[in-house]
Amino acid sequence: MDFLLSDRQKALREGIHGFAASVIRPQALSWDLNAGIPEPFLKQMVQMAAQMGGQLGVSLEPAVAATPDEMSESGEKKKSSANLTALIGAEEMAWGDAGLLLCLPGPGLGGPPVRASGTPEQKERFFGIFKDMSETLAWGAYGLTEPGAGSDVAGIRASCRKEGDEWVINGRKCFITNGARAAWTVVFATIDPALGRAGHRAFVVEKGTPGFGVGRIEEKMGLRASETAELVFEECRIPSANLLGGEESYRSKEGFMTAMKTFDNTRPLVASMAVGIGRAAYEYARDFVKENYLLPRSIPRYAAIAERLAKVGRQLEAARMVTWRAGWMADQGIPNAKEASMSKAIAGQAAINACIEAIDICGAEGTIAGDHRLLEKWFRDIKVYDIFEGTGNIQRIVISKRVIEGLKGF
Amino acid sequence: MIDFAPNEDQQALQDAVRQFAKTVLAPRARETEKLRGFAPDVQATAVEMGLSIASIPESAGGPGFPFVTRVLLEEELAAGDPAAAYALAGPGAFALAITEICDEARCKHFLTPFVEHPDRFGAVAWGEAKPVAERGGFGTSAKWIGNSFTLDGTKSYVVGASRADTLLVFAQVDDAAEWNGVGAFVVPKGTHGLSIERVTTLGLDGADIASVRLEHVRLPRASYLNEAKDWSHRLLRFFVKNALLVAARCTGLQRAAIEVTRDYVQTRTAFGKPIGHFQAVAFNISDRFIDLEASRAMVHRAAFLWDAVAADQATENEAFLASCRAIGFAQEAAMRAGNDAVQLHGGAGFMRDYPVEKYMRDAKQLQVCGMTTTQTDQLASRIELGLPLEWSLLIPSAESQNVFV
């Protein structure tokens, strides 16, 4: 057992922290108000990530864990610390500004399904565009949610049919992060809604494909710097080569499992971001107490406030530990679907509670917006962490199925 | 590098204790409750396994387990019977207190007898039922008269007192110094003037909880322990580490309560299906499993940090903070687990045919063992706010909340 970070992890954390405090935070509110981050700054971020040896800690895409199959092949366990390191980086980035993390160029949430299910040719083609972004920035996106199907993934209605060497997609996708600017989006559609999950197909739809358009860009409560778009498909024709994983991989229920596999590794990452935002709010309230309530004479509100503060601190610590464990399991090649859901469930709520309590602790002052007064922004940003990547209740369904025998669904 | 897995030695110990808990402690928990202690054969097995000396450092002839190993063992024992940690032979909290407040020579002097006689018990007499109105500090007094100390007063909430061969008794040596005038004394069983009265409690029936009366108890100079300059700080460390062991027991209790409840909701049917197949029930179970996951990881990390402090790899404040958070979380989570376990069993859960009502009572009892969450939260916030650790405000006493030590 060991709970000390490696020197590399410490350096990464300190590096991101310093950058977040001195560069990211002073701009965070203006990005939020202007609903976007200027491209020159994003280019600077890309260069920085390259210098830091890849996308470690500054990307939404986690390393893909070794699966048990891969382990048995070589006869020994494949161990790394890539997932855990990414969690540490994500917490620190989100402590700076979660919106920025979602805006970072790269494959984003579209990365994991392509990496997990794409053919070698597809991986080469779709990841190739991110190799050199010194001139042109590029994004990937992930399109699953529809106006009528969010948590109930099996209920998607976007349709696809095969015509010759092409697939034709019709339907709408909503709440798609970086959906408007993405060079390509992994889009889920169904050959027949009656088939349920077995009917699902995943496509990589490239920007500019005829019949594929962007609908509205959403106005959100928080994470306003991040672009959230609606995607519209009208007789959109996709070459067969863009069917993710190729025809073969849909002979079984794998089509749907592709979607689900994505989340095992991204949920702890999202949980870590939530912890980062919650910690930002906690530290803000803590410093506020230090500066305003610790007077030479004792004041009545101190003891009760100290306890509220401590409670927030321990809930965040609980969330961080569950999240780290889920990441550690992925690094060890241990299946972690249950623990990944646990991390997302506990972190979303702990962090929301941290923001709610932090404003209470600070009082009126806590709601005033300013370049160094981001608490109201974090309060707006955090709510969606109990919603996207599976709501809290969806996480509990995932957990329930794994702890209660014979439970297939509700 | 972060690693959540116990090493091979720890795994082997964990397996052995888990087996003992599963095959002996759990099936006999009701018997233990009636006996208000373990049957002799259970005690003998535990002694044979070396459990009674688990808390003794290497310098005194014990195994000198890292703190991580200690919390692993406590969780396993508590998963069998939450009272086990208190009812099995050994110096228990006495050893931890002596290890924290004494130098190596005295540690060896007081703890070696427990290695030589592994069936012996120890206890710590800290709490008092009423605060002293006029000043800080304890009402139990220790006066230097002639060439010995004379102790008078009543200590309460003492775990293991009536079985104890040796007690560590805290008494006021210097009234004017208030909480800084508290002294610790080692009192052997049978000392003239020492009487012990067992009390009945809500839970942890197997533990032996008592009041200790001291009437003109005369003790030699050598039984007085406060030499260390950072004595008060050492005392704070004892309380926090002792409460961290309680948190480990809370983790074991959660596991036992949730698992038995999970099994129950899979077999109990209503409205045509197992009740566990309804969301309200399944989500409740899921939430308690999340609690368990968090409690365990937090307790492990806090224990690891104490080992890291000993190896100069972490600061004491880091260990204090992680411990306080783990203790508060695990205690509250254990109470939620106990409460929900009874709730999900419905009327049956209220009956003693099922183990869950015991878990619920034990959970509440554990919340007032070691330190309370109020106390750990206050300590955590003082660390986070950069305030001095005023130990007398932070440790349990009649001035804040009393606890079982």
Side-chain angles (χ1 to χ4, degrees), chain B residues 19-37:
Chain B
Q19 194 59 22
F20 173 59
K22 201 174 146 190
T23 55
V24 180
L25 298 179
R28 296 177 70 171
R30 290 300 187 187
E31 177 197 343
T32 305
E33 189 179 60
K34 280 213 181 74
L35 286 171
R36 299 176 79 200

Side-chain angles (χ1 to χ4, degrees), chain A residues 1-3 84 282 286 302-303 306-307 310 314 317 321 325 328 393 396 400 403-406 410, chain B residues 1-3 5 262 266 277 279 282-283 286-287 293 301 304 325 332 373-374 377-378 381 384 387:
Chain A
M1 218 175 274
D2 189 348
F3 289 93
L84 200 64
Y282 166 78
R286 180 195 66 193
Y302 169 71
E307 273 164 44
R314 79 174 129 88
E317 172 80 7
M321 281 305 107
R325 181 145 188 281
W328 172 81
N393 282 338
R396 284 167 177 82
S400 296
V403 297
I404 304 221
E405 224 170 78
F410 292 103
Chain B
M1 200 166 90
I2 305 286
D3 186 359
R262 189 253 329 260
Q266 284 169 185
H277 292 200
Q279 280 192 350
F283 283 16
S286 298
D287 282 338
E293 186 83 6
R301 176 165 177 268
F304 170 84
R325 286 171 169 173
E332 289 190 350
T373 303
T374 308
D377 277 353
Q378 287 290 344
S381 67
E384 279 287 81
L387 296 171

Side-chain angles (χ1 to χ4, degrees), chain A residues 126 139-145 158 167-188 203-217 227 229-239 242:
Chain A
F126 298 122
W139 288 266
Y142 182 79
L144 179 60
T145 300
W167 285 85
V168 184
I169 304 178
N170 280 287
R172 282 168 184 269
K173 294 288 171 183
C174 65
F175 310 151
I176 310 306
T177 299
N178 294 324
R181 60 184 166 199
W184 51 257
T185 305
V186 175
V187 175
F188 290 78
F203 302 92
V204 183
V205 181
E206 288 164 280
K207 193 177 188 174
T209 305
F212 166 45
V214 174
R216 56 189 239 141
I217 306 288
E227 173 191 279
E230 179 192 31
L231 307 181
V232 184
F233 302 87
E234 286 167 340
E235 290 291 298
C236 175
R237 290 180 173 272
I238 312 287
N242 283 22

Side-chain angles (χ1 to χ4, degrees), chain B residues 36 197-203 205 207 209-210 365 404:
Chain B
R36 299 176 79 200
E197 190 189 341
R198 226 180 136 167
V199 294
T200 304
T201 51
L202 169 71
D205 306 67
I209 294 170
Q365 196 78 41
F404 294 92

Side-chain angles (χ1 to χ4, degrees), chain B residues 178-240:
Chain B
E178 304 204 325
W179 283 106
N180 289 319
V182 171
F185 298 86
V186 173
V187 184
K189 179 167 92 175
T191 304
H192 187 73
L194 178 72
S195 58
I196 287 159
E197 190 189 341
R198 226 180 136 167
V199 294
T200 304
T201 51
L202 169 71
L204 298 178
D205 306 67
D208 151 32
I209 294 170
S211 291
V212 175
R213 247 182 106 187
L214 304 122
E215 288 173 291
H216 304 304
V217 170
R218 294 183 63 189
L219 298 169
R221 172 99 214 169
S223 61
Y224 176 55
L225 299 185
N226 313 40
E227 270 85 22
K229 283 208 180 69
D230 56 345
W231 147 259
S232 56
H233 193 74
R234 285 162 177 254
L235 211 49
L236 184 61
R237 211 161 52 203
F238 158 66
F239 270 101
V240 171

Side-chain angles (χ1 to χ4, degrees), chain A residues 134-147:
Chain A
S134 54
E135 294 298 319
T136 321
L137 296 177
W139 288 266
Y142 182 79
L144 179 60
T145 300
E146 297 179 5

Side-chain angles (χ1 to χ4, degrees), chain B residues 51-397:
Chain B
L51 291 172
S52 63
I53 58 164
S55 60
I56 299 177
E58 218 171 352
S59 60
F65 285 138
F67 219 67
V68 166
T69 309
R70 299 283 313 279
V71 298
L72 288 171
L73 296 183
E74 295 291 354
E75 179 187 331
E76 294 307 326
L77 284 174
D81 181 352
Y86 297 103
L88 289 172
F94 177 86
L96 185 58
I98 292 288
T99 312
E100 290 301 333
I101 65 182
C102 292
D103 58 27
E104 206 169 287
R106 286 194 128 175
C107 199
K108 200 170 167 181
H109 174 72
F110 289 118
L111 298 180
T112 309
F114 287 96
V115 181
E116 288 162 357
H117 307 279
D119 55 343
R120 286 189 178 178
F121 287 84
V124 176
W126 170 267
E128 290 186 4
K130 291 266 181 258
V132 180
E134 308 78 41
R135 58 165 175 83
F138 284 128
T140 300
S141 65
K143 299 216 157 48
W144 180 251
I145 303 168
N147 56 0
S148 65
F149 278 102
T150 302
L151 272 65
D152 278 286
T154 303
K155 308 299 289 184
S156 299
Y157 323 119
V158 186
V159 180
S162 58
R163 290 193 278 253
D165 296 270
T166 318
L167 289 118
L168 184 65
V169 176
F170 288 86
Q172 200 69 22
V173 178
D174 177 359
D175 286 2
E178 304 204 325
W179 283 106
N180 289 319
V182 171
F185 298 86
V186 173
V187 184
K189 179 167 92 175
T191 304
H192 187 73
L194 178 72
S195 58
I196 287 159
E197 190 189 341
R198 226 180 136 167
V199 294
T200 304
T201 51
L202 169 71
L204 298 178
D205 306 67
D208 151 32
I209 294 170
S211 291
V212 175
R213 247 182 106 187
L214 304 122
E215 288 173 291
H216 304 304
V217 170
R218 294 183 63 189
L219 298 169
R221 172 99 214 169
S223 61
Y224 176 55
L225 299 185
N226 313 40
E227 270 85 22
K229 283 208 180 69
D230 56 345
W231 147 259
S232 56
H233 193 74
R234 285 162 177 254
L235 211 49
L236 184 61
R237 211 161 52 203
F238 158 66
F239 270 101
V240 171
K241 286 171 119 175
N242 191 42
L244 186 57
L245 295 174
V246 174
R249 286 163 210 153
C250 286
T251 309
L253 183 150
Q254 286 175 62
R255 196 175 92 206
I258 304 165
E259 285 181 354
V260 74
T261 306
R262 189 253 329 260
D263 294 348
Y264 180 80
V265 302
Q266 284 169 185
T267 50
R268 170 83 183 178
T269 58
F271 309 104
K273 57 180 178 179
I275 59 171
H277 292 200
F278 291 96
Q279 280 192 350
V281 173
F283 283 16
N284 189 325
I285 297 269
S286 298
D287 282 338
R288 297 294 74 81
F289 272 110
I290 298 175
D291 273 355
L292 172 62
E293 186 83 6
S295 298
R296 183 185 291 130
M298 290 171 90
V299 168
H300 288 179
R301 176 165 177 268
F304 170 84
L305 285 174
W306 283 114
D307 293 333
V309 168
D312 269 333
Q313 289 176 322
T315 67
E316 218 173 55
N317 269 3
E318 285 176 280
F320 271 131
L321 183 61
S323 300
C324 285
R325 286 171 169 173
I327 296 159
F329 191 92
Q331 282 179 330
E332 289 190 350
M335 193 62 251
R336 287 193 288 270
N339 189 24
D340 289 356
V342 174
Q343 189 67 32
L344 292 174
H345 276 72
F350 198 67
M351 308 301 150
R352 295 209 171 189
D353 299 342
Y354 289 87
V356 287
E357 64 81 30
K358 178 179 182 315
Y359 294 138
M360 184 173 172
R361 289 184 290 114
D362 287 350
K364 190 65 234 174
Q365 196 78 41
L366 284 174
Q367 277 195 291
V368 288
C369 283
M371 289 177 89
T372 66
T373 303
T374 308
Q375 288 152 353
T376 50
D377 277 353
Q378 287 290 344
L379 177 51
S381 67
R382 286 191 85 84
I383 292 167
E384 279 287 81
L385 294 169
L387 296 171
L389 303 184
E390 284 173 49
W391 73 283
S392 62
L393 295 176
L394 301 170
I395 50 176
S397 76

